[in-house]
Amino acid sequence: MAQTVLRSAVVIMIVTLVGRVGGLLRETLLADSFGTSFEVDAYRYAFAIPSMIFLFVPGALNAIFVPSIKSMLVNGNREEAQVLFRKMMTVTVSIYFVIMAIGMLFSREIIQLMTFMQNGSEAITPEQRAAQLEMGAKLLQWMWPSAVFIALIGVFQATLNAHQQFFIPQLSTVVNSLIVCTAYPLLVPFYGIYGVAMGTTLGFLFAALSMIYALKKERYSLAPDFRWNDTEMKKIGERFIPIMLGSLITQVYTFIYPVLASGLGEGRVAALGYANIVYQLPTAIFVAAFT
């Protein structure tokens, strides 16, 4: 058992390392293309939302969903596990689809709230703030669909982990980074910083798609199932709120740091974002792998 856990952790560490190198490449391309300009500041404000969702949703879904589906697999109830997967996928996507729809309607207000510390700041002129607010709102609208794709990533990763498959779920993060990196030569020359937002959303989409083949091999169907009123779904619901709240609180800093830096002048949020990526590298590789 110990050897299996250690081997799995090493595999996750290696793939996570590759994914983080891809993430560093992605940040390098962003810095090379836009530096620490107000465009990157606007992107950081907008990306704080999907970034926070990505950091807490997959991990929380692992804690919520894996115990239920794993117990079914251990007891030989594979068909029940398959049905539970469809129900969990349907309810999770439904919740985040509603969140996406509401978020897209209020994107401007969300960015305005995040940049409230710029009011009265001599480092940011009213004209700069208006332009940044407009750009940030549009960028956030481009990235809101990521919430739905991240929800799928969480359910897919949890299901594969219950089958002791760790390589493919971690490989999806590499796919994410590669897709975003390809946006720089393909989309950025035509759409500027909005091309980065498009690539970000496509990255989460392809990360989810990269796990479908492995799920199909385990005979899981992607057909929706709205029959949520059963005992197992109620048990999952009981775990949902405390685990999701706990996970959200631990990752809320990704939302807070651009807010705190919003009044310090152009480029400060961008620079802090670049530094944060490097700072998180050892934690993501070692702590996350063993967790």
Side-chain angles (χ1 to χ4, degrees):
M1 179 64 181
Q3 290 181 344
T4 301
V5 172
L6 181 60
R7 183 167 59 250
S8 299
V10 170
V11 169
I12 293 173
M13 286 170 57
I14 293 172
V15 179
T16 302
L17 176 60
V18 174
R20 286 291 167 166
V21 170
L24 286 175
L25 175 60
R26 181 184 62 210
E27 294 298 313
T28 301
L29 291 170
L30 180 64
D32 181 63
S33 300
F34 301 99
T36 54
S37 62
F38 87 97
E39 288 96 340
V40 180
D41 284 351
Y43 173 77
R44 292 292 184 197
Y45 293 134
F47 184 63
I49 303 296
S51 176
M52 183 173 62
I53 294 173
F54 181 68
L55 286 174
F56 84 85
V57 168
L61 284 174
N62 260 294
I64 294 166
F65 187 43
V66 167
S68 295
I69 196 168
K70 185 66 177 177
S71 65
M72 291 179 176
L73 294 173
V74 169
N75 293 324
N77 301 322
R78 179 175 285 268
E79 290 184 3
E80 291 184 16
Q82 292 166 348
V83 172
L84 182 63
F85 164 80
R86 290 170 54 199
K87 292 179 180 179
M88 191 65 185
M89 180 189 67
T90 305
V91 69
T92 305
V93 169
S94 298
I95 290 171
Y96 281 94
F97 186 85
V98 172
I99 292 173
M100 177 197 73
I102 296 173
M104 292 186 75
L105 287 174
F106 295 98
S107 291
R108 184 179 180 84
E109 288 75 12
I110 293 171
I111 297 297
Q112 195 167 22
L113 178 64
M114 293 182 67
T115 60
F116 77 96
M117 293 187 69
Q118 291 182 354
N119 290 323
S121 173
E122 296 180 358
I124 302 291
T125 66
E127 293 78 13
Q128 288 175 321
R129 185 174 185 275
Q132 196 173 70
L133 178 61
E134 187 68 24
M135 179 177 290
K138 290 181 179 178
L139 288 167
L140 182 54
Q141 287 177 334
W142 274 109
M143 287 190 282
W144 263 119
S146 299
V148 177
F149 304 144
I150 292 169
L152 285 173
I153 290 171
V155 176
F156 292 174
Q157 285 183 344
T159 304
L160 291 174
N161 286 344
H163 285 270
Q164 296 185 340
Q165 292 192 33
F166 304 105
F167 178 75
I168 296 298
Q170 289 301 314
L171 189 64
S172 67
T173 62
V174 179
V175 173
N176 186 335
S177 295
L178 290 176
I179 294 297
V180 178
C181 289
T182 58
Y184 285 91
L186 297 179
L187 298 176
V188 170
F190 303 100
Y191 301 103
I193 192 67
Y194 298 106
V196 182
M198 296 174 194
T200 299
T201 299
L202 289 172
F204 287 120
L205 170 60
F206 278 89
L209 293 177
S210 68
M211 289 181 278
I212 289 179
Y213 178 74
L215 289 167
K216 290 289 187 180
K217 286 186 67 176
E218 298 292 344
R219 300 181 181 178
Y220 286 98
S221 169
L222 300 182
D225 191 334
F226 293 92
R227 297 172 297 170
W228 302 336
N229 189 22
D230 61 32
T231 303
E232 200 60 45
M233 289 298 290
K234 289 178 181 178
K235 289 181 181 179
I236 291 173
E238 291 172 357
R239 296 193 293 266
F240 180 83
I241 294 178
I243 291 177
M244 290 295 282
L245 283 178
S247 299
L248 176 61
I249 291 170
T250 60
Q251 300 299 339
V252 75
Y253 72 91
T254 60
F255 181 84
I256 294 298
Y257 85 75
V259 174
L260 295 177
S262 62
L264 300 178
E266 182 179 319
R268 299 301 192 272
V269 177
L272 188 59
Y274 295 136
N276 193 46
I277 293 296
V278 178
Y279 161 75
Q280 290 180 4
L281 185 62
T283 301
I285 294 172
F286 297 104
V287 179
F290 279 98
T291 299

